[in-house]
Amino acid sequence: MISAEDAATTATRFLPLSPQPSERLALMLGGGGARGAYQAGVLLGLARQFPQLRFPIITGISAGALNATYLASHNDSPLRAAEQLAELWLGLTPDRVYDVRTVPLLGNVARWGLRLVSGGIGGRREPTRGLVDTTPLRRVLEESLERAADGSLPGIARNIGRGALHAVALSATSYSTGQSVTWVEGRDVDLWQRPQRRSELARLTVAHAMASSALPMVFPAVQVGPQWFGDGGVRLTAPLSPTLHLGATRILTISTRYPRTRAEADIPLTTGYPPPAQVLGVLYNSVFLDLIDEDVLRLRRVNRLLRDAAADRREGMRVVEIHVIRPSRDLGMLAREFEPKLPRLFRYLTRGLGTTATRSPDFLSLLLFQTDYLRRLVELGESDAHAEAARIEAFLERPATVTT
């Protein structure tokens, strides 16, 4: 990690950031399972270098929803919030995220197998939920966040009340209706609805964060109200849309995808027929990472069109600047170094999917809640934020584009 002396030197080098009152800086955090530790590292690096930096709008999807919820509910300084978020990730182990005991894990696998071969015979049996039970993670979050009697997070309401936060939004996928739902807690929020996407006001709880981060098929769905929800990345085809609807003028987003060069991208990751782990990795990347990249490209194209258009031809649209921070190392390939320390049975099951037969086990990296791997991600994120500091400062201090 960056030393305290280096952090202090860097912090004094940059002037406090003071955006115009009309500006709304948004932080958008996407998915990636255990890769969320990288986001925590970047946020820690940013807080150490820009101690005055605040995000009036915070939105999260999947693992990013956990980070967004923690930041939005924290009433201390941005630096202290980032430090405690990093400490939370560094305190995680597989048994603090999901039940790693042999009997429950084998029971889940057996139920899946029985459901598959039974053809539905047997009537109403025990529902087939996720591969693992995430009750331990829910318990960790409940212990880490201040909660009211109704389960809501009063820290969020306090931040909104004192003007430090305009709104926070978490997105999830309703398995009951097939819609993408964005829960919003904020002040003077105009709700929106699009085909298969809608927003609703809510007092956010741990259940909302757990629902947004419920990896399909692996983590069980979470009930919120009468419906069952899973990972927010599954149906949210425009991940930046919540920040735009909430009035963002600038967006800072932290991707967990390593930007491979053309030469790197063309190198096969497996030999012969792809194992299930490789197929799952491609599938999950398409859900959690590809959509964000595509949305960023769309936003930048729209920005170019708006800059060339006369003010009376913009139909109420505005230029929204965006900056993306990406890892300097491939987090999937990095996961291979730490895989041998997984709990024995879980390692046995994941290897059965072929995680050792691919050079970049991206699927495994989502589930690798090993302390050593998480520590490496936090350190990498902090280092990348340090290396990106000058570009981030230029992005934050750049005069806004006039759109009226």
Side-chain angles (χ1 to χ4, degrees):
M1 290 189 180
I2 306 301
S3 68
E5 182 179 354
D6 288 342
T9 301
T10 306
T12 58
R13 190 168 75 242
F14 292 103
L15 296 174
L17 301 172
S18 53
Q20 298 299 316
S22 60
E23 291 245 327
R24 281 182 178 169
L25 176 62
L27 175 67
M28 187 274 170
L29 299 173
R35 297 184 184 199
Y38 175 79
Q39 296 177 346
V42 171
L43 292 167
L44 179 59
L46 290 176
R48 285 179 170 168
Q49 294 165 86
F50 304 101
Q52 305 302 319
L53 179 61
R54 294 181 180 275
F55 298 98
I57 298 171
I58 303 176
T59 67
I61 307 169
S62 191
L66 301 180
N67 290 333
T69 301
Y70 194 92
L71 291 178
S73 62
H74 203 288
N75 298 136
D76 211 332
S77 68
L79 176 57
R80 186 59 186 145
E83 288 175 338
Q84 292 189 354
L85 177 60
E87 290 171 4
L88 176 66
W89 278 98
L90 293 175
L92 291 181
T93 54
D95 63 321
R96 298 192 74 202
V97 176
Y98 42 78
D99 193 339
V100 299
R101 293 176 299 164
T102 300
V103 172
L105 188 54
L106 286 179
N108 287 339
V109 173
R111 276 191 292 273
W112 276 61
L114 181 61
R115 174 74 67 171
L116 181 64
V117 301
S118 68
I121 299 174
R124 297 178 59 85
R125 58 165 60 91
E126 176 69 19
T128 305
R129 301 179 186 270
L131 176 64
V132 296
D133 178 3
T134 53
T135 299
L137 178 59
R138 179 189 285 265
R139 190 176 301 119
V140 167
L141 294 176
E142 290 175 345
E143 293 171 352
S144 303
L145 297 170
E146 178 190 2
R147 295 183 301 136
D150 62 353
S152 63
L153 306 174
I156 295 178
R158 283 197 292 268
N159 281 331
I160 294 172
R162 65 189 181 92
L165 183 66
H166 169 66
V168 57
L170 308 180
S171 298
T173 301
S174 172
Y175 291 149
S176 302
T177 67
Q179 292 180 308
S180 174
V181 178
T182 298
W183 296 297
V184 184
E185 184 169 354
R187 172 183 291 177
D188 301 326
V189 173
D190 293 325
L191 298 180
W192 63 92
Q193 183 162 351
R194 298 291 185 271
Q196 291 301 310
R197 291 189 283 131
R198 65 179 177 84
S199 62
E200 63 179 53
L201 294 176
R203 293 294 300 274
L204 296 178
T205 67
V206 169
H208 292 96
M210 290 291 295
S212 180
S213 58
L215 291 169
M217 312 302 288
V218 180
F219 292 172
V222 176
Q223 187 173 15
V224 178
Q227 297 183 27
W228 289 87
F229 292 87
D231 200 287
V234 175
R235 287 303 300 268
L236 187 57
T237 55
L240 298 177
S241 64
T243 60
L244 299 175
H245 285 295
L246 292 173
T249 57
R250 300 178 194 265
I251 302 173
L252 182 68
T253 184
I254 305 171
S255 173
T256 59
R257 177 194 283 282
Y258 168 72
R260 294 174 181 168
T261 65
R262 173 64 184 271
E264 289 174 322
D266 286 343
I267 299 175
L269 299 174
T270 61
T271 301
Y273 193 85
Q278 178 65 18
V279 176
L280 288 170
V282 172
L283 175 63
Y284 276 75
N285 282 344
S286 70
V287 171
F288 302 120
L289 303 179
D290 293 353
L291 291 178
I292 293 179
D293 288 343
E294 292 171 7
D295 214 16
V296 169
L297 287 175
R298 281 195 296 266
L299 178 61
R300 286 173 172 164
R301 290 193 187 104
V302 171
N303 282 342
R304 287 195 294 270
L305 292 173
L306 290 176
R307 289 191 183 98
D308 294 338
D312 59 353
R313 300 292 298 274
R314 292 174 180 161
E315 300 184 0
M317 301 178 69
R318 65 188 185 281
V319 173
V320 179
E321 303 286 353
I322 187 165
H323 185 83
V324 185
I325 302 175
R326 300 180 186 276
S328 56
R329 286 197 61 184
D330 189 314
L331 305 187
M333 291 186 177
L334 188 62
R336 294 185 66 190
E337 301 176 18
F338 301 90
E339 184 268 351
K341 294 185 179 180
L342 273 171
R344 181 176 299 176
L345 178 59
F346 198 79
R347 184 174 69 244
Y348 176 81
L349 293 174
T350 55
R351 286 184 177 180
L353 293 173
T355 53
T356 58
T358 173
R359 293 176 53 247
S360 182
D362 291 341
F363 173 67
L364 179 65
S365 71
L366 304 177
L367 307 175
L368 198 60
F369 292 93
Q370 291 287 127
T371 302
D372 48 4
Y373 179 62
L374 299 178
R375 181 174 299 279
R376 184 70 187 92
L377 294 188
V378 171
E379 292 173 348
L380 182 64
E382 189 177 355
S383 176
D384 287 349
H386 181 74
E388 190 83 359
R391 287 183 289 272
I392 295 171
E393 184 191 30
F395 163 74
L396 295 172
E397 298 288 2
R398 188 182 306 138
T401 301
V402 178
T403 58
T404 58

mmCIF file of all heavy atoms in Angstrom, residues 339-340 346-356:
data_model
loop_
_atom_site.group_PDB
_atom_site.id
_atom_site.type_symbol
_atom_site.label_atom_id
_atom_site.label_comp_id
_atom_site.label_asym_id
_atom_site.label_seq_id
_atom_site.Cartn_x
_atom_site.Cartn_y
_atom_site.Cartn_z
ATOM 1 N N GLU A 339 -5.602 -19.330 -5.702
ATOM 2 C CA GLU A 339 -6.593 -20.408 -5.722
ATOM 3 C C GLU A 339 -6.265 -21.583 -4.809
ATOM 4 O O GLU A 339 -7.171 -22.148 -4.171
ATOM 5 C CB GLU A 339 -6.766 -20.885 -7.170
ATOM 6 C CG GLU A 339 -7.833 -21.938 -7.375
ATOM 7 C CD GLU A 339 -7.286 -23.354 -7.295
ATOM 8 O OE1 GLU A 339 -6.040 -23.500 -7.242
ATOM 9 O OE2 GLU A 339 -8.082 -24.300 -7.265
ATOM 10 N N PRO A 340 -4.975 -22.003 -4.649
ATOM 11 C CA PRO A 340 -4.691 -23.173 -3.810
ATOM 12 C C PRO A 340 -5.113 -23.036 -2.350
ATOM 13 O O PRO A 340 -5.211 -24.036 -1.650
ATOM 14 C CB PRO A 340 -3.162 -23.319 -3.922
ATOM 15 C CG PRO A 340 -2.831 -22.723 -5.250
ATOM 16 C CD PRO A 340 -3.771 -21.555 -5.375
ATOM 17 N N PHE A 346 -14.568 -26.508 -1.516
ATOM 18 C CA PHE A 346 -14.914 -25.505 -2.514
ATOM 19 C C PHE A 346 -13.881 -25.512 -3.643
ATOM 20 O O PHE A 346 -14.227 -25.384 -4.825
ATOM 21 C CB PHE A 346 -14.991 -24.114 -1.869
ATOM 22 C CG PHE A 346 -15.741 -23.107 -2.687
ATOM 23 C CD1 PHE A 346 -17.119 -23.089 -2.687
ATOM 24 C CD2 PHE A 346 -15.057 -22.191 -3.472
ATOM 25 C CE1 PHE A 346 -17.815 -22.167 -3.457
ATOM 26 C CE2 PHE A 346 -15.744 -21.267 -4.242
ATOM 27 C CZ PHE A 346 -17.137 -21.254 -4.224
ATOM 28 N N ARG A 347 -12.613 -25.698 -3.292
ATOM 29 C CA ARG A 347 -11.561 -25.792 -4.314
ATOM 30 C C ARG A 347 -11.789 -27.021 -5.195
ATOM 31 O O ARG A 347 -11.611 -26.961 -6.406
ATOM 32 C CB ARG A 347 -10.196 -25.862 -3.629
ATOM 33 C CG ARG A 347 -9.018 -25.866 -4.602
ATOM 34 C CD ARG A 347 -7.697 -25.786 -3.875
ATOM 35 N NE ARG A 347 -7.398 -26.999 -3.130
ATOM 36 C CZ ARG A 347 -7.277 -27.075 -1.822
ATOM 37 N NH1 ARG A 347 -7.458 -25.992 -1.071
ATOM 38 N NH2 ARG A 347 -6.983 -28.223 -1.227
ATOM 39 N N TYR A 348 -12.203 -28.107 -4.574
ATOM 40 C CA TYR A 348 -12.476 -29.340 -5.317
ATOM 41 C C TYR A 348 -13.604 -29.115 -6.324
ATOM 42 O O TYR A 348 -13.506 -29.535 -7.488
ATOM 43 C CB TYR A 348 -12.852 -30.447 -4.328
ATOM 44 C CG TYR A 348 -13.261 -31.753 -4.960
ATOM 45 C CD1 TYR A 348 -12.315 -32.668 -5.408
ATOM 46 C CD2 TYR A 348 -14.603 -32.077 -5.098
ATOM 47 C CE1 TYR A 348 -12.693 -33.869 -5.990
ATOM 48 C CE2 TYR A 348 -15.004 -33.267 -5.671
ATOM 49 C CZ TYR A 348 -14.044 -34.166 -6.108
ATOM 50 O OH TYR A 348 -14.427 -35.351 -6.686
ATOM 51 N N LEU A 349 -14.660 -28.448 -5.892
ATOM 52 C CA LEU A 349 -15.802 -28.225 -6.767
ATOM 53 C C LEU A 349 -15.452 -27.267 -7.905
ATOM 54 O O LEU A 349 -15.840 -27.488 -9.061
ATOM 55 C CB LEU A 349 -16.979 -27.670 -5.957
ATOM 56 C CG LEU A 349 -17.598 -28.629 -4.930
ATOM 57 C CD1 LEU A 349 -18.642 -27.907 -4.094
ATOM 58 C CD2 LEU A 349 -18.224 -29.833 -5.630
ATOM 59 N N THR A 350 -14.735 -26.181 -7.601
ATOM 60 C CA THR A 350 -14.398 -25.218 -8.657
ATOM 61 C C THR A 350 -13.404 -25.821 -9.649
ATOM 62 O O THR A 350 -13.481 -25.560 -10.848
ATOM 63 C CB THR A 350 -13.827 -23.928 -8.058
ATOM 64 O OG1 THR A 350 -12.694 -24.228 -7.217
ATOM 65 C CG2 THR A 350 -14.886 -23.200 -7.236
ATOM 66 N N ARG A 351 -12.488 -26.642 -9.159
ATOM 67 C CA ARG A 351 -11.569 -27.302 -10.095
ATOM 68 C C ARG A 351 -12.313 -28.281 -10.988
ATOM 69 O O ARG A 351 -11.916 -28.515 -12.131
ATOM 70 C CB ARG A 351 -10.461 -28.019 -9.314
ATOM 71 C CG ARG A 351 -9.429 -27.065 -8.727
ATOM 72 C CD ARG A 351 -8.290 -27.798 -8.044
ATOM 73 N NE ARG A 351 -7.282 -26.868 -7.564
ATOM 74 C CZ ARG A 351 -6.161 -27.227 -6.931
ATOM 75 N NH1 ARG A 351 -5.923 -28.520 -6.716
ATOM 76 N NH2 ARG A 351 -5.299 -26.313 -6.534
ATOM 77 N N GLY A 352 -13.397 -28.850 -10.452
ATOM 78 C CA GLY A 352 -14.215 -29.726 -11.279
ATOM 79 C C GLY A 352 -14.840 -28.983 -12.449
ATOM 80 O O GLY A 352 -15.167 -29.589 -13.474
ATOM 81 N N LEU A 353 -14.991 -27.655 -12.305
ATOM 82 C CA LEU A 353 -15.508 -26.829 -13.396
ATOM 83 C C LEU A 353 -14.414 -26.418 -14.368
ATOM 84 O O LEU A 353 -14.695 -25.803 -15.405
ATOM 85 C CB LEU A 353 -16.192 -25.573 -12.831
ATOM 86 C CG LEU A 353 -17.474 -25.806 -12.024
ATOM 87 C CD1 LEU A 353 -17.939 -24.501 -11.401
ATOM 88 C CD2 LEU A 353 -18.567 -26.383 -12.919
ATOM 89 N N GLY A 354 -13.166 -26.716 -14.009
ATOM 90 C CA GLY A 354 -12.064 -26.419 -14.916
ATOM 91 C C GLY A 354 -11.360 -25.104 -14.666
ATOM 92 O O GLY A 354 -10.775 -24.532 -15.588
ATOM 93 N N THR A 355 -11.374 -24.610 -13.429
ATOM 94 C CA THR A 355 -10.723 -23.326 -13.144
ATOM 95 C C THR A 355 -9.214 -23.387 -13.332
ATOM 96 O O THR A 355 -8.573 -22.352 -13.562
ATOM 97 C CB THR A 355 -11.028 -22.868 -11.707
ATOM 98 O OG1 THR A 355 -10.696 -23.920 -10.784
ATOM 99 C CG2 THR A 355 -12.499 -22.519 -11.551
ATOM 100 N N THR A 356 -8.615 -24.577 -13.247
ATOM 101 C CA THR A 356 -7.170 -24.689 -13.448
ATOM 102 C C THR A 356 -6.810 -24.907 -14.914
ATOM 103 O O THR A 356 -5.631 -24.970 -15.259
ATOM 104 C CB THR A 356 -6.588 -25.842 -12.604
ATOM 105 O OG1 THR A 356 -7.250 -27.060 -12.961
ATOM 106 C CG2 THR A 356 -6.774 -25.574 -11.126
#
